[in-house]
Amino acid sequence: MEQIIANILIASVQYILIGLGLSFIYRVSKCIDFSQGGMYLFGAYAAYCFSRMFHLSLPVAVLAAVLCSALLGSLVERCLYHQIRQKPNHQLEIILTSLGVLIIIQSTISLLFQDVTRSLSQHEAAPGLLVLGARVTRYQFLMMLVVLTICIMFWLAVQRTRWGLKVRAVANNGMLAEIAGIPNQQIIVSVAVIGSGLSGLAGSLMSLEIPMHPGIGEEALLKAVLVTLLAGHYGVRQLVIAGCVLACLETVVGASISLLWKETIAFSIVLLLLHISPKFLKAKKLEVVG
Amino acid sequence: MIYLVHILNMAIIFSILALSLNLLSGYSGMLSICHAVFYGFGAYSAALLTSNLSLPWILVIVLVPIAGAVFGLTVGRAALKFKGDYFVLATFSLQIVFSNVVENWSSLTGGVIGLSAIKPPSFAGVTLGSPQSFLFPLAFVLGVTVFVVHRISNSPFGRVLRGIREDELFCLSLGKDVISYRRCVFAVGAALAALAGCMFSAYRGYIDPTSFSIQESIFILAIVIIGGRASLLGPIAGATFLVVLPEVLRYIGIESSVAAIVRQLLYGIVLVVIILYRPQGLLGEHSAGSSGGMNK
């Protein structure tokens, strides 16, 4: 039982970590940025390069990978999305461009590193630490700490700072925020930078636990989409709840039916939930909070 | 020669798929990322009907699009409950569910190994076995698809679809049943994609889940965007360009495994460039809403 609870906790943390970037960008820009799957992949491989090729220590490599992902996100936002946002009806174009960016990042990494499975972790697999009767590996423990810290910092930044106020204003009504003198584009760029950095962090941290290959970006994107579907336009609290619900679902389905069907069942249940009551996502659209 | 005909055949199959998706994404403004679901549904249905039930191909070619239309109508009912970006996410989710079902329901679909030894079609004692023998039947199906799409796009029904794409609210105010129009076009698009799947299954004699994955859905969408939305020739030009591209890469000495990745990279770049500098695509029509609209 303890192990099941620990597994749910670990899976929740993974869902939250992966979903943070996509969900944050979606909340503010109202556009699904599929390229976050690419940022996740880029973060993982950048950490691998910094760690293995430039022989940096793991924490420094992860930090450098996060910075690189944030930089890439900023470039994509400034060079591509910004131009498209000038058009009156740009949602479709941004989604398609983000798909294009995802394909470009994935195939570039595929070309550079081939489809070989690699590992970021430099240590041999060791039995996890025994915490309250459940085994948790040290990387899982680290991930939990990081997610907890990020969620608190993120909530504080959005709720208690001037920048957060501007972000909420742009998320609620971009045009009105612009009229009120808030630099809309600057806020969106800052959100893209933070979102992409978070996706890069997710990629590099997850790669400590799971082997990496060029397909991990798409796999992560599935999880991020699931969390975003369930959390909708809401903030960190809803994202955490969505992550926990999906983790429970995944663990229960994995344990009782089959691990093979966990994604199918999770997606089906989420779609069914939204189908039955789609309004629960949109009803409080104006209450976009951190 | 056989090789060239094979490439032409694949270009025709992708043209049919792109034309059918163009009905949804081009004329109606619904960005669907689950078109490979209908394609796969058609391919697997055809393979199972001919192998397990030993139905003749001529009957299968009639039955599969009908089943595809019913399936499309059902999927459309579910997906059209979502609007805008949620519609995109819903179609994305449906694609994932379909891919998982196909991969994991091994007893029916053969799982990741797929279904092999699909009986080749034979009409009037002539068995279609070689790529050359498939060229004319495929060209005929493409002709039928072009005819259907042309008739729809130039009919009052097609004009309402364009109207919905440009301004859904205005169409609603005119008393048009927007949801019914969209469901209808979903059914027609699905039927045509199922027909393409049926032809693919007959032509290849072997199918596996990789041909109907999310990547394939994105690829079909890329064909429509690059070729041109709401155009008859655009999807055909886009399909020909994207199908021929990797073969050209192979000719200039790039290994086939690398060529597949380079093809992906190129179509990603072309997709981004087209959206930035020519959003209506190579041969598409320019939307009044500048972007071809979206299921708002």
Side-chain angles (χ1 to χ4, degrees):
Chain A
M1 189 61 194
E2 289 87 356
Q3 193 58 53
I4 290 176
I5 294 169
N7 288 349
I8 290 176
L9 202 64
I10 294 160
S12 309
V13 163
Q14 290 179 349
Y15 268 110
I16 296 163
L17 187 63
I18 293 169
L20 265 170
L22 180 77
S23 167
F24 184 44
I25 293 174
Y26 176 58
R27 271 202 326 272
V28 179
S29 68
K30 303 287 182 295
C31 286
I32 311 154
D33 185 4
F34 283 113
S35 72
Q36 290 309 308
M39 299 301 165
Y40 176 96
L41 179 64
F42 181 77
Y45 275 87
Y48 178 83
C49 284
F50 286 123
S51 165
R52 294 294 167 87
M53 293 175 186
F54 302 119
H55 306 291
L56 297 179
S57 67
L58 219 48
V60 180
V62 170
L63 197 69
V66 172
L67 290 175
C68 288
S69 307
L71 187 71
L72 183 64
S74 151
L75 275 175
V76 170
E77 173 57 46
R78 280 178 188 278
C79 302
L80 303 177
Y81 300 161
H82 174 61
Q83 285 193 46
I84 299 166
R85 271 206 189 87
Q86 309 306 314
K87 297 170 188 172
N89 192 2
H90 56 253
Q91 254 183 318
L92 177 77
E93 262 76 14
I94 290 194
I95 293 171
L96 289 170
T97 311
S98 69
L99 278 174
V101 174
L102 171 66
I103 294 165
I104 292 170
I105 295 175
Q106 195 175 355
S107 17
T108 308
I109 285 176
S110 227
L111 269 179
L112 292 175
F113 296 91
Q114 283 92 46
D115 293 343
V116 183
T117 304
R118 292 163 201 272
S119 174
L120 181 60
S121 169
Q122 291 166 339
H123 302 282
E124 295 271 313
L129 310 163
L130 201 62
V131 184
L132 300 170
R135 290 231 171 254
V136 182
T137 68
R138 53 189 180 147
Y139 289 133
Q140 287 168 345
F141 209 73
L142 172 78
M143 221 182 290
M144 284 185 208
L145 281 177
V146 169
V147 168
L148 188 70
T149 316
I150 286 177
C151 284
I152 294 170
M153 279 171 60
F154 199 72
W155 186 84
L156 285 173
V158 177
Q159 284 296 309
R160 299 279 184 267
T161 62
R162 282 184 67 80
W163 171 79
L165 193 67
K166 288 177 184 171
V167 167
R168 281 184 288 151
V170 174
N172 277 341
N173 191 331
M175 204 182 282
L176 207 61
E178 188 95 64
I179 293 165
I182 295 169
N184 215 326
Q185 179 55 28
Q186 228 170 301
I187 295 296
I188 287 178
V189 170
S190 68
V191 167
V193 167
I194 293 172
S196 304
L198 286 171
S199 296
L201 176 70
S204 45
L205 284 182
M206 289 289 288
S207 303
L208 290 168
E209 198 51 31
I210 304 163
M212 62 171 101
H213 55 88
I216 55 168
E218 272 179 22
E219 290 165 13
L221 192 63
L222 301 187
K223 289 193 169 189
V225 165
L226 260 177
V227 174
T228 310
L229 262 171
L230 210 57
H233 288 286
Y234 296 143
V236 174
R237 274 174 293 169
Q238 283 71 20
L239 186 78
V240 171
I241 294 168
C244 293
V245 169
L246 289 167
C248 284
L249 206 66
E250 184 184 296
T251 314
V252 170
V253 170
S256 58
I257 304 174
S258 162
L259 279 172
L260 290 173
W261 291 100
K262 65 179 186 184
E263 248 168 27
T264 316
I265 294 174
F267 267 103
S268 307
I269 290 177
V270 170
L271 277 177
L272 203 66
L273 263 175
L274 298 178
H275 190 72
I276 294 165
S277 173
K279 281 191 176 165
F280 81 85
L281 291 169
K282 304 261 181 182
K284 294 182 184 172
K285 202 173 171 180
L286 287 175
E287 289 178 25
V288 180
V289 289
Chain B
M1 185 64 187
I2 294 174
Y3 177 66
L4 285 176
V5 175
H6 166 71
I7 292 167
L8 192 59
N9 286 345
M10 289 313 291
I12 291 175
I13 289 172
F14 278 103
S15 297
I16 300 168
L17 280 169
L19 279 165
S20 60
L21 179 63
N22 201 21
L23 275 176
L24 272 75
S25 297
Y27 294 103
S28 320
M30 294 184 282
L31 181 60
S32 161
I33 325 184
C34 68
H35 214 59
V37 169
F38 307 123
Y39 177 42
F41 176 83
Y44 275 98
S45 305
L48 291 170
L49 286 172
T50 51
S51 304
N52 292 6
L53 299 178
S54 303
L55 289 184
W57 269 104
I58 193 83
L59 188 63
V60 169
I61 286 172
V62 176
L63 282 179
V64 166
I66 296 170
V70 175
F71 181 58
L73 208 60
T74 318
V75 170
R77 264 184 95 86
L80 286 168
K81 196 146 187 192
F82 304 101
K83 296 204 167 192
D85 36 19
Y86 265 85
F87 175 80
V88 180
L89 288 179
T91 55
F92 180 85
S93 309
L94 284 167
Q95 173 67 58
I96 302 303
V97 170
F98 179 79
S99 296
N100 273 282
V101 169
V102 167
E103 274 173 27
N104 296 328
W105 197 352
S106 307
S107 58
L108 186 75
T109 62
V112 286
I113 300 162
L115 297 172
S116 55
I118 298 165
K119 272 190 274 177
S122 56
F123 302 104
V126 181
T127 304
L128 305 180
S130 64
Q132 290 99 319
S133 61
F134 264 97
L135 186 60
F136 289 107
L138 282 172
F140 175 73
V141 175
L142 176 64
V144 171
T145 309
V146 169
F147 176 74
V148 171
V149 174
H150 177 71
R151 286 304 296 263
I152 288 177
S153 63
N154 288 306
S155 66
F157 179 81
R159 282 192 284 279
V160 175
L161 287 180
R162 281 194 180 89
I164 294 170
R165 180 190 71 190
E166 300 298 338
D167 197 334
E168 185 180 333
L169 213 61
F170 181 67
C171 286
L172 278 169
S173 72
L174 290 177
K176 303 291 178 196
D177 187 353
V178 170
I179 292 287
S180 295
Y181 275 93
R182 283 196 163 136
R183 276 183 198 154
C184 258
V185 84
F186 228 98
V188 178
L192 292 173
L195 182 61
C198 181
M199 296 307 289
F200 176 73
S201 183
Y203 174 58
R204 286 281 297 270
Y206 161 77
I207 47 170
D208 71 344
T210 55
S211 304
F212 317 106
S213 61
I214 181 79
Q215 285 92 342
E216 211 65 11
S217 277
I218 297 173
F219 181 65
I220 303 166
L221 186 65
I223 292 175
V224 176
I225 305 300
I226 292 167
R229 278 171 273 177
S231 139
L232 211 56
L233 285 177
I236 299 172
T240 312
F241 173 64
L242 286 181
V243 170
V244 170
L245 186 68
E247 312 308 326
V248 174
L249 293 172
R250 221 167 282 169
Y251 266 110
I252 57 172
I254 298 175
E255 268 179 58
S256 60
S257 60
V258 178
I261 305 169
V262 174
R263 177 191 85 151
Q264 263 208 321
L265 180 64
L266 283 179
Y267 93 70
I269 293 170
V270 174
L271 186 65
V272 172
V273 170
I274 286 276
I275 292 164
L276 276 179
Y277 300 108
R278 203 175 159 79
Q280 74 271 33
L282 295 173
L283 302 170
E285 73 178 36
H286 212 312
S287 155
S290 91
S291 69
M294 189 174 172
N295 179 21
K296 290 183 266 289

PDB file of all heavy atoms in Angstrom, chain B residues 199-223:
ATOM      1  N   MET B 199      -7.640   1.434 -49.952  1.00  0.00           N
ATOM      2  CA  MET B 199      -6.772   1.295 -51.131  1.00  0.00           C
ATOM      3  C   MET B 199      -5.324   1.011 -50.700  1.00  0.00           C
ATOM      4  O   MET B 199      -4.635   0.206 -51.320  1.00  0.00           O
ATOM      5  CB  MET B 199      -6.807   2.573 -51.990  1.00  0.00           C
ATOM      6  CG  MET B 199      -8.152   2.890 -52.599  1.00  0.00           C
ATOM      7  SD  MET B 199      -8.885   1.542 -53.532  1.00  0.00           S
ATOM      8  CE  MET B 199      -7.864   1.461 -54.973  1.00  0.00           C
ATOM      9  N   PHE B 200      -4.899   1.672 -49.617  1.00  0.00           N
ATOM     10  CA  PHE B 200      -3.535   1.477 -49.109  1.00  0.00           C
ATOM     11  C   PHE B 200      -3.350   0.022 -48.661  1.00  0.00           C
ATOM     12  O   PHE B 200      -2.338  -0.619 -48.972  1.00  0.00           O
ATOM     13  CB  PHE B 200      -3.300   2.430 -47.933  1.00  0.00           C
ATOM     14  CG  PHE B 200      -1.977   2.266 -47.246  1.00  0.00           C
ATOM     15  CD1 PHE B 200      -0.815   2.698 -47.848  1.00  0.00           C
ATOM     16  CD2 PHE B 200      -1.892   1.673 -45.993  1.00  0.00           C
ATOM     17  CE1 PHE B 200       0.422   2.547 -47.218  1.00  0.00           C
ATOM     18  CE2 PHE B 200      -0.675   1.518 -45.352  1.00  0.00           C
ATOM     19  CZ  PHE B 200       0.486   1.958 -45.962  1.00  0.00           C
ATOM     20  N   SER B 201      -4.361  -0.472 -47.961  1.00  0.00           N
ATOM     21  CA  SER B 201      -4.316  -1.849 -47.464  1.00  0.00           C
ATOM     22  C   SER B 201      -4.231  -2.838 -48.630  1.00  0.00           C
ATOM     23  O   SER B 201      -3.451  -3.793 -48.600  1.00  0.00           O
ATOM     24  CB  SER B 201      -5.594  -2.069 -46.643  1.00  0.00           C
ATOM     25  OG  SER B 201      -5.619  -3.296 -46.077  1.00  0.00           O
ATOM     26  N   ALA B 202      -5.039  -2.594 -49.670  1.00  0.00           N
ATOM     27  CA  ALA B 202      -5.040  -3.475 -50.840  1.00  0.00           C
ATOM     28  C   ALA B 202      -3.706  -3.398 -51.572  1.00  0.00           C
ATOM     29  O   ALA B 202      -3.163  -4.412 -52.019  1.00  0.00           O
ATOM     30  CB  ALA B 202      -6.177  -3.066 -51.776  1.00  0.00           C
ATOM     31  N   TYR B 203      -3.177  -2.192 -51.661  1.00  0.00           N
ATOM     32  CA  TYR B 203      -1.957  -1.968 -52.425  1.00  0.00           C
ATOM     33  C   TYR B 203      -0.728  -2.564 -51.730  1.00  0.00           C
ATOM     34  O   TYR B 203       0.069  -3.264 -52.355  1.00  0.00           O
ATOM     35  CB  TYR B 203      -1.776  -0.463 -52.655  1.00  0.00           C
ATOM     36  CG  TYR B 203      -0.474  -0.085 -53.314  1.00  0.00           C
ATOM     37  CD1 TYR B 203      -0.127  -0.604 -54.552  1.00  0.00           C
ATOM     38  CD2 TYR B 203       0.417   0.780 -52.693  1.00  0.00           C
ATOM     39  CE1 TYR B 203       1.072  -0.267 -55.153  1.00  0.00           C
ATOM     40  CE2 TYR B 203       1.622   1.120 -53.279  1.00  0.00           C
ATOM     41  CZ  TYR B 203       1.943   0.596 -54.515  1.00  0.00           C
ATOM     42  OH  TYR B 203       3.129   0.917 -55.109  1.00  0.00           O
ATOM     43  N   ARG B 204      -0.604  -2.288 -50.442  1.00  0.00           N
ATOM     44  CA  ARG B 204       0.596  -2.738 -49.719  1.00  0.00           C
ATOM     45  C   ARG B 204       0.531  -4.212 -49.336  1.00  0.00           C
ATOM     46  O   ARG B 204       1.556  -4.896 -49.247  1.00  0.00           O
ATOM     47  CB  ARG B 204       0.778  -1.898 -48.457  1.00  0.00           C
ATOM     48  CG  ARG B 204       1.268  -0.488 -48.704  1.00  0.00           C
ATOM     49  CD  ARG B 204       2.768  -0.426 -48.970  1.00  0.00           C
ATOM     50  NE  ARG B 204       3.505  -0.872 -47.814  1.00  0.00           N
ATOM     51  CZ  ARG B 204       3.911  -0.087 -46.824  1.00  0.00           C
ATOM     52  NH1 ARG B 204       3.629   1.199 -46.878  1.00  0.00           N
ATOM     53  NH2 ARG B 204       4.588  -0.568 -45.808  1.00  0.00           N
ATOM     54  N   GLY B 205      -0.637  -4.717 -49.022  1.00  0.00           N
ATOM     55  CA  GLY B 205      -0.779  -6.113 -48.597  1.00  0.00           C
ATOM     56  C   GLY B 205      -0.289  -6.337 -47.178  1.00  0.00           C
ATOM     57  O   GLY B 205      -0.221  -7.466 -46.683  1.00  0.00           O
ATOM     58  N   TYR B 206       0.060  -5.242 -46.527  1.00  0.00           N
ATOM     59  CA  TYR B 206       0.576  -5.329 -45.157  1.00  0.00           C
ATOM     60  C   TYR B 206       0.347  -3.984 -44.484  1.00  0.00           C
ATOM     61  O   TYR B 206       0.605  -2.938 -45.074  1.00  0.00           O
ATOM     62  CB  TYR B 206       2.072  -5.659 -45.206  1.00  0.00           C
ATOM     63  CG  TYR B 206       2.814  -5.332 -43.947  1.00  0.00           C
ATOM     64  CD1 TYR B 206       2.703  -6.169 -42.842  1.00  0.00           C
ATOM     65  CD2 TYR B 206       3.608  -4.185 -43.843  1.00  0.00           C
ATOM     66  CE1 TYR B 206       3.363  -5.858 -41.664  1.00  0.00           C
ATOM     67  CE2 TYR B 206       4.269  -3.876 -42.674  1.00  0.00           C
ATOM     68  CZ  TYR B 206       4.149  -4.720 -41.587  1.00  0.00           C
ATOM     69  OH  TYR B 206       4.792  -4.417 -40.436  1.00  0.00           O
ATOM     70  N   ILE B 207      -0.169  -4.015 -43.258  1.00  0.00           N
ATOM     71  CA  ILE B 207      -0.343  -2.739 -42.540  1.00  0.00           C
ATOM     72  C   ILE B 207       0.137  -2.889 -41.095  1.00  0.00           C
ATOM     73  O   ILE B 207       0.030  -3.971 -40.511  1.00  0.00           O
ATOM     74  CB  ILE B 207      -1.834  -2.248 -42.537  1.00  0.00           C
ATOM     75  CG1 ILE B 207      -2.800  -3.375 -42.161  1.00  0.00           C
ATOM     76  CG2 ILE B 207      -2.213  -1.612 -43.848  1.00  0.00           C
ATOM     77  CD1 ILE B 207      -4.220  -2.904 -41.921  1.00  0.00           C
ATOM     78  N   ASP B 208       0.671  -1.823 -40.555  1.00  0.00           N
ATOM     79  CA  ASP B 208       1.067  -1.811 -39.138  1.00  0.00           C
ATOM     80  C   ASP B 208       0.781  -0.423 -38.542  1.00  0.00           C
ATOM     81  O   ASP B 208       0.521   0.526 -39.289  1.00  0.00           O
ATOM     82  CB  ASP B 208       2.537  -2.231 -38.969  1.00  0.00           C
ATOM     83  CG  ASP B 208       3.501  -1.185 -39.475  1.00  0.00           C
ATOM     84  OD1 ASP B 208       3.063  -0.292 -40.215  1.00  0.00           O
ATOM     85  OD2 ASP B 208       4.688  -1.257 -39.139  1.00  0.00           O
ATOM     86  N   PRO B 209       0.796  -0.296 -37.206  1.00  0.00           N
ATOM     87  CA  PRO B 209       0.364   0.983 -36.597  1.00  0.00           C
ATOM     88  C   PRO B 209       1.192   2.202 -36.989  1.00  0.00           C
ATOM     89  O   PRO B 209       0.691   3.319 -36.888  1.00  0.00           O
ATOM     90  CB  PRO B 209       0.497   0.713 -35.092  1.00  0.00           C
ATOM     91  CG  PRO B 209       0.483  -0.761 -34.950  1.00  0.00           C
ATOM     92  CD  PRO B 209       1.080  -1.311 -36.174  1.00  0.00           C
ATOM     93  N   THR B 210       2.440   2.019 -37.427  1.00  0.00           N
ATOM     94  CA  THR B 210       3.262   3.203 -37.743  1.00  0.00           C
ATOM     95  C   THR B 210       2.673   4.034 -38.891  1.00  0.00           C
ATOM     96  O   THR B 210       2.922   5.229 -38.992  1.00  0.00           O
ATOM     97  CB  THR B 210       4.709   2.809 -38.122  1.00  0.00           C
ATOM     98  OG1 THR B 210       4.637   1.876 -39.187  1.00  0.00           O
ATOM     99  CG2 THR B 210       5.464   2.225 -36.958  1.00  0.00           C
ATOM    100  N   SER B 211       1.881   3.375 -39.756  1.00  0.00           N
ATOM    101  CA  SER B 211       1.291   4.100 -40.884  1.00  0.00           C
ATOM    102  C   SER B 211       0.112   4.972 -40.463  1.00  0.00           C
ATOM    103  O   SER B 211      -0.385   5.757 -41.270  1.00  0.00           O
ATOM    104  CB  SER B 211       0.811   3.121 -41.956  1.00  0.00           C
ATOM    105  OG  SER B 211       1.856   2.315 -42.363  1.00  0.00           O
ATOM    106  N   PHE B 212      -0.350   4.803 -39.209  1.00  0.00           N
ATOM    107  CA  PHE B 212      -1.555   5.539 -38.784  1.00  0.00           C
ATOM    108  C   PHE B 212      -1.324   6.250 -37.449  1.00  0.00           C
ATOM    109  O   PHE B 212      -2.229   6.382 -36.638  1.00  0.00           O
ATOM    110  CB  PHE B 212      -2.742   4.564 -38.682  1.00  0.00           C
ATOM    111  CG  PHE B 212      -2.801   3.611 -39.828  1.00  0.00           C
ATOM    112  CD1 PHE B 212      -2.443   2.283 -39.678  1.00  0.00           C
ATOM    113  CD2 PHE B 212      -3.158   4.064 -41.091  1.00  0.00           C
ATOM    114  CE1 PHE B 212      -2.452   1.418 -40.755  1.00  0.00           C
ATOM    115  CE2 PHE B 212      -3.167   3.206 -42.169  1.00  0.00           C
ATOM    116  CZ  PHE B 212      -2.816   1.877 -42.004  1.00  0.00           C
ATOM    117  N   SER B 213      -0.090   6.678 -37.251  1.00  0.00           N
ATOM    118  CA  SER B 213       0.275   7.294 -35.968  1.00  0.00           C
ATOM    119  C   SER B 213       0.012   8.794 -35.998  1.00  0.00           C
ATOM    120  O   SER B 213      -0.407   9.343 -37.015  1.00  0.00           O
ATOM    121  CB  SER B 213       1.760   7.037 -35.705  1.00  0.00           C
ATOM    122  OG  SER B 213       2.499   7.626 -36.749  1.00  0.00           O
ATOM    123  N   ILE B 214       0.330   9.454 -34.885  1.00  0.00           N
ATOM    124  CA  ILE B 214       0.174  10.914 -34.793  1.00  0.00           C
ATOM    125  C   ILE B 214       1.066  11.618 -35.823  1.00  0.00           C
ATOM    126  O   ILE B 214       0.674  12.622 -36.415  1.00  0.00           O
ATOM    127  CB  ILE B 214       0.448  11.412 -33.337  1.00  0.00           C
ATOM    128  CG1 ILE B 214       0.282  12.922 -33.188  1.00  0.00           C
ATOM    129  CG2 ILE B 214       1.826  11.032 -32.835  1.00  0.00           C
ATOM    130  CD1 ILE B 214      -1.110  13.394 -33.077  1.00  0.00           C
ATOM    131  N   GLN B 215       2.251  11.027 -36.069  1.00  0.00           N
ATOM    132  CA  GLN B 215       3.154  11.625 -37.070  1.00  0.00           C
ATOM    133  C   GLN B 215       2.491  11.655 -38.445  1.00  0.00           C
ATOM    134  O   GLN B 215       2.651  12.601 -39.209  1.00  0.00           O
ATOM    135  CB  GLN B 215       4.473  10.836 -37.180  1.00  0.00           C
ATOM    136  CG  GLN B 215       5.421  11.054 -36.043  1.00  0.00           C
ATOM    137  CD  GLN B 215       5.232  10.028 -34.947  1.00  0.00           C
ATOM    138  OE1 GLN B 215       4.201   9.371 -34.871  1.00  0.00           O
ATOM    139  NE2 GLN B 215       6.219   9.891 -34.089  1.00  0.00           N
ATOM    140  N   GLU B 216       1.749  10.589 -38.733  1.00  0.00           N
ATOM    141  CA  GLU B 216       1.077  10.514 -40.033  1.00  0.00           C
ATOM    142  C   GLU B 216      -0.023  11.581 -40.127  1.00  0.00           C
ATOM    143  O   GLU B 216      -0.198  12.209 -41.164  1.00  0.00           O
ATOM    144  CB  GLU B 216       0.481   9.101 -40.197  1.00  0.00           C
ATOM    145  CG  GLU B 216       0.415   8.610 -41.616  1.00  0.00           C
ATOM    146  CD  GLU B 216       1.777   8.410 -42.269  1.00  0.00           C
ATOM    147  OE1 GLU B 216       2.808   8.459 -41.577  1.00  0.00           O
ATOM    148  OE2 GLU B 216       1.794   8.224 -43.499  1.00  0.00           O
ATOM    149  N   SER B 217      -0.727  11.774 -39.017  1.00  0.00           N
ATOM    150  CA  SER B 217      -1.770  12.810 -38.994  1.00  0.00           C
ATOM    151  C   SER B 217      -1.147  14.186 -39.239  1.00  0.00           C
ATOM    152  O   SER B 217      -1.694  15.004 -39.988  1.00  0.00           O
ATOM    153  CB  SER B 217      -2.486  12.819 -37.645  1.00  0.00           C
ATOM    154  OG  SER B 217      -3.475  11.847 -37.632  1.00  0.00           O
ATOM    155  N   ILE B 218      -0.016  14.433 -38.585  1.00  0.00           N
ATOM    156  CA  ILE B 218       0.668  15.724 -38.759  1.00  0.00           C
ATOM    157  C   ILE B 218       1.173  15.853 -40.203  1.00  0.00           C
ATOM    158  O   ILE B 218       1.099  16.917 -40.809  1.00  0.00           O
ATOM    159  CB  ILE B 218       1.820  15.886 -37.735  1.00  0.00           C
ATOM    160  CG1 ILE B 218       1.247  15.898 -36.310  1.00  0.00           C
ATOM    161  CG2 ILE B 218       2.615  17.169 -37.981  1.00  0.00           C
ATOM    162  CD1 ILE B 218       2.283  15.891 -35.205  1.00  0.00           C
ATOM    163  N   PHE B 219       1.642  14.743 -40.745  1.00  0.00           N
ATOM    164  CA  PHE B 219       2.142  14.745 -42.126  1.00  0.00           C
ATOM    165  C   PHE B 219       1.016  15.109 -43.108  1.00  0.00           C
ATOM    166  O   PHE B 219       1.209  15.949 -44.001  1.00  0.00           O
ATOM    167  CB  PHE B 219       2.734  13.366 -42.460  1.00  0.00           C
ATOM    168  CG  PHE B 219       3.298  13.264 -43.846  1.00  0.00           C
ATOM    169  CD1 PHE B 219       4.390  14.026 -44.220  1.00  0.00           C
ATOM    170  CD2 PHE B 219       2.746  12.409 -44.781  1.00  0.00           C
ATOM    171  CE1 PHE B 219       4.917  13.938 -45.499  1.00  0.00           C
ATOM    172  CE2 PHE B 219       3.255  12.312 -46.060  1.00  0.00           C
ATOM    173  CZ  PHE B 219       4.348  13.082 -46.425  1.00  0.00           C
ATOM    174  N   ILE B 220      -0.156  14.520 -42.910  1.00  0.00           N
ATOM    175  CA  ILE B 220      -1.287  14.811 -43.810  1.00  0.00           C
ATOM    176  C   ILE B 220      -1.684  16.288 -43.677  1.00  0.00           C
ATOM    177  O   ILE B 220      -1.962  16.963 -44.667  1.00  0.00           O
ATOM    178  CB  ILE B 220      -2.494  13.877 -43.510  1.00  0.00           C
ATOM    179  CG1 ILE B 220      -2.095  12.411 -43.635  1.00  0.00           C
ATOM    180  CG2 ILE B 220      -3.660  14.170 -44.459  1.00  0.00           C
ATOM    181  CD1 ILE B 220      -3.089  11.435 -43.036  1.00  0.00           C
ATOM    182  N   LEU B 221      -1.676  16.765 -42.431  1.00  0.00           N
ATOM    183  CA  LEU B 221      -2.007  18.177 -42.197  1.00  0.00           C
ATOM    184  C   LEU B 221      -0.972  19.085 -42.872  1.00  0.00           C
ATOM    185  O   LEU B 221      -1.326  20.099 -43.482  1.00  0.00           O
ATOM    186  CB  LEU B 221      -2.056  18.434 -40.687  1.00  0.00           C
ATOM    187  CG  LEU B 221      -2.530  19.810 -40.249  1.00  0.00           C
ATOM    188  CD1 LEU B 221      -3.980  20.028 -40.644  1.00  0.00           C
ATOM    189  CD2 LEU B 221      -2.396  19.971 -38.736  1.00  0.00           C
ATOM    190  N   ALA B 222       0.307  18.687 -42.770  1.00  0.00           N
ATOM    191  CA  ALA B 222       1.380  19.476 -43.401  1.00  0.00           C
ATOM    192  C   ALA B 222       1.176  19.536 -44.912  1.00  0.00           C
ATOM    193  O   ALA B 222       1.395  20.586 -45.534  1.00  0.00           O
ATOM    194  CB  ALA B 222       2.736  18.872 -43.074  1.00  0.00           C
ATOM    195  N   ILE B 223       0.730  18.422 -45.512  1.00  0.00           N
ATOM    196  CA  ILE B 223       0.472  18.404 -46.965  1.00  0.00           C
ATOM    197  C   ILE B 223      -0.569  19.468 -47.315  1.00  0.00           C
ATOM    198  O   ILE B 223      -0.395  20.247 -48.261  1.00  0.00           O
ATOM    199  CB  ILE B 223      -0.040  17.008 -47.419  1.00  0.00           C
ATOM    200  CG1 ILE B 223       1.070  15.964 -47.287  1.00  0.00           C
ATOM    201  CG2 ILE B 223      -0.556  17.055 -48.856  1.00  0.00           C
ATOM    202  CD1 ILE B 223       0.621  14.544 -47.596  1.00  0.00           C
TER     203      ILE B 223
END
